[in-house]
Amino acid sequence: MDLQVYRHLYGVSGIPLCIVENGTVLLALPEQETDVFTPRFLDLCCTDYEVYAQSHTGPLLMMLNPGYYLAVARLDGARILVLGPGVLAQFAWSELLPWMKAPLFADNHSAMGRLLMSQTPTTATQFFYTLSMALYLATGELLDPDTFSPFDAEFLHYRVQPSLTQYMFDARESEGFHTPYSWEIQMTRAVETGNLEQLKRLRLHRVSGRLGVLSLNRDRQMRYMFVTVVAVFGRAALRGGLHYEKAYSMADIYCQRMDAMTNPADIEQLQSQVIEDYCREVAALKKEQYSPTVRLCCTYIQQHTHEKITLEMLADQCGMSGRRLSEKFKKETGSPVVDYIHRVKMEEAELLLRDSDYTLGEISSYLGYANQSHFIAVFRRLYGMTPMQYRNRCR
């Protein structure tokens, strides 16, 4: 098998790939990202494939968080192909960071993060046909797309409909109906409006019905329900005005914390904290009562932390002069525009210093600072220590 043809395949598709034989890497592309396909990463991929191959034929296709494809397949003999990641959309580091802590990326999270951030998005169809061509080059056979369709409507209907009928019949027999929708509406409305007192009153009331049964395994049921609660009340907080990046980041942190817990009482307590914390965040926003213009500025700044942001750029976004915007922003927030920009950027710097291996130069560049000295000076002014002192203190 001529490995050179796979260089051409990568050149056309842009999807990373690695060919390994008995633990030895024969080809890894892109070549400049040598730390992506580590021995541990490849061993986990190959082990998953061998387990999958015991009961299935063909390649193993995976859709992984936060939204990328990975495939493992046998080319010929002992040669294994690892294709991917192929990303669905462009990602920011803050979106990738929670997923880079997964065991799969224990020794290559920085390299994998860089790769995911730099990739051009690809569709599921493009990824599938790239995989099909990779196997064709080795075996002369093309994959059948219908074999790997996860959204077969007839299959879902055939399997779900009888189960749904039986499930609803059993619920009527045992009077085990779900918690009333009206109660959920009142709870989410309390979070959406930031009404903490109303939220506490609702939680003290006895409510008829039961929570949904998402799993017959008690531990999984508890964890699935936790994730559902985070999603439902996170959405309520978004409707209440909480910035989506903060809402999603809170959800990530809560779920990671829950994942590390083993005591059911601790998980239940954290679930209650989740709802109250979302409610408090919305309540704090309601107190600020910023004008639409200032809210627009704050949102723009939070969404463009990796760029250089100037008062003139914000003024253009708002359709007013820089001087007028500056006066309005400081009057409502109590902070000059420039200080607010620095504060938001430094909050992201905190995250990167604590949870990534990026150098100070890389972080300052990502956050749009012209040089590292300026970045260090701003960080020290806000936190009373240098970025490196902060990193050492966190580790």
Side-chain angles (χ1 to χ4, degrees):
M1 182 178 64
D2 183 11
L3 296 180
Q4 288 301 115
V5 296
Y6 288 92
R7 294 184 183 275
H8 295 295
L9 181 63
Y10 169 74
V12 172
S13 68
I15 300 174
L17 61 88
C18 180
I19 298 175
V20 59
E21 182 175 16
N22 296 325
T24 301
V25 175
L26 304 181
L27 179 68
L29 300 169
E31 293 176 322
Q32 61 269 29
E33 288 292 356
T34 56
D35 295 332
V36 170
F37 298 105
T38 61
R40 185 180 184 281
F41 175 79
L42 291 173
D43 182 60
L44 288 172
C45 290
C46 292
T47 300
D48 283 352
Y49 172 73
E50 294 299 341
V51 172
Y52 174 84
Q54 291 176 10
S55 54
H56 299 79
T57 59
L60 168 63
L61 279 80
M62 296 175 278
M63 177 67 180
L64 303 175
N65 286 318
Y68 64 92
Y69 307 103
L70 191 68
V72 188
R74 186 176 301 280
L75 293 178
D76 59 4
R79 294 184 178 183
I80 301 293
L81 168 72
V82 177
L83 181 69
V87 299
L88 283 167
Q90 207 78 45
F91 294 113
W93 176 252
S94 57
E95 296 172 298
L96 295 172
L97 187 58
W99 308 110
M100 292 299 100
K101 295 179 180 179
L104 182 61
F105 310 119
D107 63 346
N108 67 345
H109 63 275
S110 293
M112 185 63 75
R114 287 196 303 271
L115 186 62
L116 290 171
M117 287 172 65
S118 64
Q119 267 195 275
T120 301
T122 184
T123 65
T125 302
Q126 290 170 328
F127 186 85
F128 175 85
Y129 282 114
T130 300
L131 174 62
S132 181
M133 181 56 67
L135 294 178
Y136 177 80
L137 293 172
T139 65
E141 297 181 4
L142 291 172
L143 292 175
D144 179 5
D146 293 333
T147 307
F148 299 97
S149 175
F151 304 116
D152 187 333
E154 290 186 7
F155 174 84
L156 289 175
H157 181 76
Y158 176 77
R159 294 290 190 273
V160 171
Q161 198 61 39
S163 300
L164 178 61
T165 303
Q166 183 66 45
Y167 192 84
M168 294 182 70
F169 174 80
D170 292 342
R172 291 188 179 94
E173 284 292 293
S174 62
E175 296 186 354
F177 294 107
H178 288 79
T179 303
Y181 182 53
S182 58
W183 181 78
E184 179 184 320
I185 290 295
Q186 293 179 69
M187 289 283 288
T188 54
R189 181 61 181 164
V191 171
E192 189 176 338
T193 57
N195 192 334
L196 189 58
E197 293 304 316
Q198 174 70 0
L199 179 67
K200 290 179 178 179
R201 284 195 296 271
L202 286 168
R203 294 178 62 193
L204 289 174
H205 290 170
R206 291 183 61 86
V207 182
S208 61
R210 60 170 175 80
L211 296 174
V213 180
L214 307 181
S215 173
L216 298 179
N217 178 284
R218 183 181 177 187
D219 182 68
R220 288 178 186 165
Q221 160 69 14
M222 180 174 56
R223 296 180 188 279
Y224 291 164
M225 188 56 65
F226 182 95
V227 174
T228 302
V229 166
V230 171
V232 168
F233 289 97
R235 290 289 177 184
L238 284 170
R239 293 194 298 272
L242 187 63
H243 188 267
Y244 76 90
E245 186 64 37
K246 187 166 190 177
Y248 293 157
S249 297
M250 288 173 67
D252 293 344
I253 292 169
Y254 289 133
C255 289
Q256 290 169 36
R257 194 179 300 172
M258 175 274 294
D259 197 43
M261 291 178 170
T262 56
N263 187 340
D266 291 340
I267 295 178
E268 187 175 349
Q269 183 177 353
L270 181 61
Q271 183 171 299
S272 298
Q273 181 187 331
V274 168
I275 302 172
E276 289 192 9
D277 284 354
Y278 273 130
C279 192
R280 285 193 180 93
E281 290 291 338
V282 174
L285 283 175
K286 300 296 183 185
K287 288 181 181 178
E288 291 175 345
Q289 293 296 319
Y290 291 158
S291 65
T293 298
V294 172
R295 285 203 304 270
L296 177 62
C297 280
C298 293
T299 300
Y300 183 89
I301 292 168
Q302 291 163 356
Q303 292 177 343
H304 295 81
T305 53
H306 286 208
E307 303 170 16
K308 181 179 179 181
I309 305 172
T310 65
L311 178 61
E312 290 70 26
M313 293 166 61
L314 294 173
D316 287 341
Q317 290 288 322
C318 299
M320 62 173 61
S321 69
R323 180 178 177 180
R324 185 181 168 200
L325 175 62
S326 180
E327 293 173 349
K328 184 177 183 63
F329 192 94
K330 185 173 183 179
K331 181 179 179 181
E332 292 188 26
T333 67
S335 171
V337 174
V338 174
D339 287 356
Y340 184 85
I341 293 171
H342 285 317
R343 190 166 72 248
V344 172
K345 285 177 177 283
M346 290 307 108
E347 286 173 358
E348 182 159 355
E350 272 192 274
L351 186 68
L352 294 172
L353 287 166
R354 187 177 66 244
D355 298 319
S356 83
D357 295 324
Y358 287 126
T359 65
L360 297 189
E362 289 172 328
I363 293 174
S364 64
S365 177
Y366 290 148
L367 296 177
Y369 286 95
N371 57 70
Q372 186 175 323
S373 299
H374 186 203
F375 165 70
I376 293 174
V378 174
F379 192 94
R380 176 183 282 164
R381 175 162 56 84
L382 290 176
Y383 294 93
M385 66 182 79
T386 67
M388 189 55 68
Q389 288 172 332
Y390 178 84
R391 170 171 275 176
N392 293 336
R393 184 171 154 186
C394 293
R395 293 187 174 183

